[in-house]
Amino acid sequence: MTSNNHPLPLTEPYLQGNEIVYVTDCIRSGWVSSLGEYIGRFEQSFAAFCGTRHGVAICNGTAALHLALLTLDIGPGDEVIVPSLTFIATANAVRYTGATPVFADCRESDWTIDTDHAARKVTPRTRAIIPVHLYGFPADMEGLTALAAAHQLHVVEDAAEAHGAGYHGRRVGGFGVMNIFSFYGNKIITTGEGGMITANDDALVARARFLRDHAMSPEKRYWHPEVGYNYRLTNVQAAMGLAQMEQIDWIISRKREIARRYNTLLAGVPGVVLPPEGPGVEPVYWMYSILVTRDFPIGRDALREKLKSSGIDSRPFFYPVHTLPPYADGQSLPVSERISSQGVNLPCGPRLTDDDIRRVAEVIRSCR
Ligand SMILES: *Cc1c(COP(=O)(O)O)cnc(C)c1O
């Protein structure tokens, strides 16, 4: 159907490949739980994609982050620097370990964590820093890596929104000591729910696998020397993930193409700030995101209403986590607060057609 008012979702899972074949194989064979060949194949395929030696499949991205921090022995008394402008899971995973998330502001230029501000948050208790590649835009890995080295901090990338994003020729997920991805239903690729840790260090990876499976001794079944977790991914989910990996390059190139089209159609609209760009940086546009500034004829929320009445789904940016009840501490992070109030995510699913993109741009251009 090509009614020009058909609903446009923000994102949708793209399941056009071997998902049904591989999942059916799991069901036919009975390997539906957390043992089975698809888990290792998905881990290897995803690690190769990120350029790391190992992938550890986890039941979701939040658990992956929690487990990465536990593996790095982060806990009560420790501080972990995180950007305030992120999904709450980044901070929650720190809190689960008993450590304290310390919020840094973001940069005006690309909405990711401000390295200079993060540097001012380092204390003797700081153990790690978690850059978030917000909405698919890589954070300042060069500056953050130098900061971390100067203070002997772990870097843990939260790449939940940025599968395949490029930073000076390398993909995200390989810069930190342990890094995480999410395969939730609206992420760049999906397993329904799911996550992954990517890492190079054999010993850390062995420790993560051990903690993932109730800390069961690899030598002695049902011997548990400490308290572990059940953070496993199922073979069915991994089967879906493997099929998604066969399509990830196409999904990403499609998202980049959609972003280019939006950029062309929205260039020069007063009050619309286009998504960040930067030298050597190749974003993946999990969402196509713009800022609506005071120069725009109507406010951000009024624009969202207009889009909605044309059947176009949109989303406001995350609230800065330092303003949410569990973390509110009265401090002000002005850049995060302003970007959060001006930001809107627009549809960017791989199936969006050129006509769809034109329709969204037209609603934005016609505001007065
Ligand atoms: C989605 C997301 C997560 C958590 O992933 P889940 O798989 O939903 O648990 C963590 N961090 C960021 C930045 C995310 O967008």
Side-chain angles (χ1 to χ4, degrees), residues 60-62 86-87 89-90 132 158 160-161 182 184 187 193-194 286:
N60 62 61
T62 309
T86 179
F87 182 54
T90 315
V132 177
D158 181 342
E161 307 178 353
S182 166
Y184 179 65
K187 296 291 160 83
E193 294 271 5
W286 173 44

Side-chain angles (χ1 to χ4, degrees), residues 56-132:
V56 183
I58 306 286
C59 55
N60 62 61
T62 309
L65 191 51
H66 183 206
L67 200 71
L69 297 171
L70 291 168
T71 301
L72 296 169
D73 204 23
I74 287 165
D78 296 334
E79 293 176 358
V80 176
I81 298 173
V82 301
S84 179
L85 191 61
T86 179
F87 182 54
I88 193 170
T90 315
N92 282 351
V94 175
R95 181 66 73 78
Y96 299 161
T97 69
T100 304
V102 173
F103 298 103
D105 210 349
C106 66
R107 305 197 286 192
E108 186 77 48
S109 58
D110 66 9
W111 318 337
T112 67
I113 189 166
D114 180 336
T115 306
D116 296 332
H117 194 245
R120 296 205 290 280
K121 297 279 180 165
V122 175
T123 76
R125 290 173 177 264
T126 310
R127 294 281 319 283
I129 181 160
I130 309 181
V132 177

Side-chain angles (χ1 to χ4, degrees), residues 166-199:
Y167 183 86
H168 297 283
R170 282 166 62 193
R171 284 186 174 141
V172 301
F175 291 93
V177 63
M178 302 198 94
N179 312 298
I180 73 96
F181 291 83
S182 166
F183 308 118
Y184 179 65
N186 68 10
K187 296 291 160 83
I188 289 173
I189 61 166
T190 185
T191 59
E193 294 271 5
M196 188 79 74
I197 295 173
T198 52

Side-chain angles (χ1 to χ4, degrees), residues 8-22:
L8 294 184
L10 206 57
T11 59
E12 56 187 335
Y14 186 78
L15 308 168
Q16 305 298 307
N18 282 321
E19 287 83 357
I20 204 157
V21 178
Y22 297 166

Side-chain angles (χ1 to χ4, degrees), residues 287-320:
M287 309 259 168
Y288 182 82
S289 309
I290 59 171
L291 304 186
V292 176
T293 72
R294 253 183 266 146
D295 297 332
F296 196 72
I298 59 175
R300 188 265 316 260
D301 296 333
L303 170 60
R304 292 195 55 233
E305 279 305 315
K306 278 209 135 196
L307 290 164
K308 191 176 168 197
S309 60
S310 305
I312 300 164
D313 195 15
S314 71
R315 233 173 60 168
F317 274 22
F318 302 123
Y319 288 104

